[in-house]
Amino acid sequence: MSAYQKSDVLSGAIALIQDHMAVITGDVVLITADTLTDVGAIEAICNAVRLAGAQYSVMTIAQLPFQGALSDPYIPSTVAAAALEATVWIDLTLPYLAGSHVFDVALKKGLVRYNLAVGLDSDGLASLYDKVDLDVLYRVQSTLDGLATEAQQKGLSCRITTPLGTDVSFRIAEPSLTKPRRATSGGIYSIPGNLFMCPDLESVKGRIVIECAYHEYYTRLQTPITVEVDGAIRSVEGGGFDRRLMDRALRRACGGDLGYVIHLTHAFNPVARFKGTNLLEDVRAAGNDAVGFGRPWWIPGGGENHPDGVMSRQSLWIGDHHIASDGAFTGDFAHFEDELQPVYG
């Protein structure tokens, strides 16, 4: 049961569909879900599409055992046909369809606006979209995207630390995923509220300590997992039984190797709460980081089938800019803390 009123959930869905994804009359919207998707979220999104005057269909499939390219054998052919005809695709599945052959073909057509809304539920619709000022959120997003682009162009070093012992440095490389205010052209979009950074693979050096993991499912770890990185991942330690699952997931995604760190993020949504139960919301809670491990999708043999880890309360430096300390914006960026206030009422 949602912690929010049904009206809040619908308002969030309207913000997602009509504002963020810019759905209008004439759009054909595909909503993909699996057997564990929150039915309330599906209903609200359908109502928001209907209010926008667009056509929609919902395709519910069995929950995939893997995400991305590893899911190809499990995706019904009917999903491929629908994806090729859609102009907007809201993907609620988890594991998700991004990186699959179906996804690649649809995106290469250049028409569909795909939203990676993996596991988005009713609470997420209300909090991540209805209870935050999206214009303010995107001003912060644009500022951070600009700093990341500048760091990539100048080859500046970045650093992340956390109280649990993370201390990792890297340089940002292309492609990084910027987040425009509205989805007006074909491509991949995701829920706002975090800075996405793709590191130069060989530049990543140090230690990453994660508190949650998405290996074969999403879970809060009883014991943190420590990942030692020197270019490639050198070791995975701790985590109890989950270490075995993470090791297996890495080697499955990387052809037997442990792979690399393929993305890091910095979250700043003021309403998202870190509960350890919902990947989508956890990686947008202020100060959290979704760390992607594996083989990146932009090199031969790569695919969007990587394991993820979550860190909290991180401190972040991009070049000479100290962006955040212990999860909160600091220094020249401290004013974001006042501007990013939840919207209630």
Side-chain angles (χ1 to χ4, degrees):
M1 180 178 295
S2 174
Y4 294 92
Q5 297 293 322
K6 197 170 185 177
S7 59
D8 297 325
V9 179
L10 177 59
S11 294
I14 291 171
L16 163 63
I17 293 300
Q18 298 185 24
D19 191 352
H20 184 198
M21 297 306 295
V23 172
I24 58 173
T25 301
D27 273 318
V28 178
V29 180
L30 170 64
I31 303 160
T32 47
D34 61 40
T35 46
L36 292 185
T37 301
D38 177 17
V39 175
I42 298 174
E43 179 185 16
I45 291 170
C46 289
N47 285 333
V49 176
R50 178 178 55 81
L51 291 170
Q55 295 181 329
Y56 68 87
S57 61
V58 180
M59 302 195 73
T60 302
I61 62 176
Q63 188 182 35
L64 297 169
F66 310 112
Q67 62 199 39
L70 292 178
S71 69
D72 284 346
Y74 307 95
I75 300 174
S77 58
T78 47
V79 175
L84 286 175
E85 297 302 322
T87 60
V88 175
W89 180 0
I90 309 297
D91 186 13
L92 303 172
T93 61
L94 185 67
Y96 48 79
L97 291 159
S100 67
H101 178 71
V102 167
F103 168 86
D104 288 343
V105 172
L107 265 287
K108 285 176 182 176
K109 189 176 178 181
L111 179 65
V112 70
R113 311 187 309 269
Y114 171 92
N115 191 298
L116 187 69
V118 297
L120 182 65
D121 59 13
S122 297
D123 281 359
L125 275 171
S127 62
L128 300 176
Y129 276 102
D130 184 52
K131 299 305 179 185
V132 63
D133 187 324
L134 291 179
D135 289 329
V136 174
L137 194 69
Y138 271 99
R139 282 201 296 272
V140 176
Q141 185 81 59
S142 179
T143 299
L144 296 180
D145 285 346
L147 290 174
T149 298
E150 178 186 30
Q152 183 271 319
Q153 293 172 344
K154 295 182 178 180
L156 303 178
S157 180
C158 304
R159 182 187 179 203
I160 290 172
T161 66
T162 69
L164 284 184
T166 293
D167 194 343
V168 61
S169 62
F170 58 95
R171 294 189 305 275
I172 298 176
E174 295 185 288
S176 283
L177 179 64
T178 57
K179 296 187 177 183
R181 175 66 179 84
R182 306 186 85 225
T184 56
S185 59
I188 183 170
Y189 299 85
S190 63
I191 308 300
N194 63 0
L195 168 67
F196 188 89
M197 299 172 283
C198 288
D200 177 275
L201 300 181
E202 297 298 336
S203 74
V204 184
K205 299 183 185 299
R207 171 178 295 177
I208 295 173
V209 183
I210 61 173
E211 300 154 62
C212 296
Y214 187 82
H215 34 54
E216 297 177 1
Y217 50 86
Y218 184 61
T219 184
R220 192 162 198 165
L221 302 170
Q222 293 185 355
T223 305
I225 287 177
T226 299
V227 180
E228 297 285 351
V229 188
D230 187 357
I233 295 174
R234 301 301 176 181
S235 67
V236 179
E237 304 294 339
F241 177 75
D242 286 289
R243 186 200 63 77
R244 295 169 58 191
L245 298 182
M246 178 61 80
D247 186 273
R248 185 164 65 192
L250 285 168
R251 295 185 188 279
R252 182 187 295 117
C254 301
D257 297 326
L258 291 174
Y260 297 87
V261 175
I262 62 175
H263 67 68
L264 299 118
T265 70
H266 183 76
F268 50 88
N269 187 295
V271 185
R273 297 294 177 260
F274 182 25
K275 304 172 185 175
T277 56
N278 186 293
L279 175 63
L280 190 75
E281 186 165 359
D282 285 353
V283 300
R284 282 159 182 82
N288 279 14
D289 189 327
V291 187
F293 303 104
R295 180 179 293 172
W297 57 92
W298 61 89
I299 66 173
E304 185 65 71
N305 48 40
H306 62 272
D308 285 285
V310 178
M311 305 186 296
S312 68
R313 295 174 54 194
Q314 72 177 15
S315 299
L316 170 67
W317 293 260
I318 298 179
D320 293 331
H321 297 290
H322 187 184
I323 308 295
S325 180
D326 200 23
F329 287 112
T330 192
D332 293 339
F333 306 92
H335 62 94
F336 289 153
E337 291 294 324
D338 295 324
E339 295 172 23
L340 286 170
Q341 292 297 317
V343 177
Y344 295 111

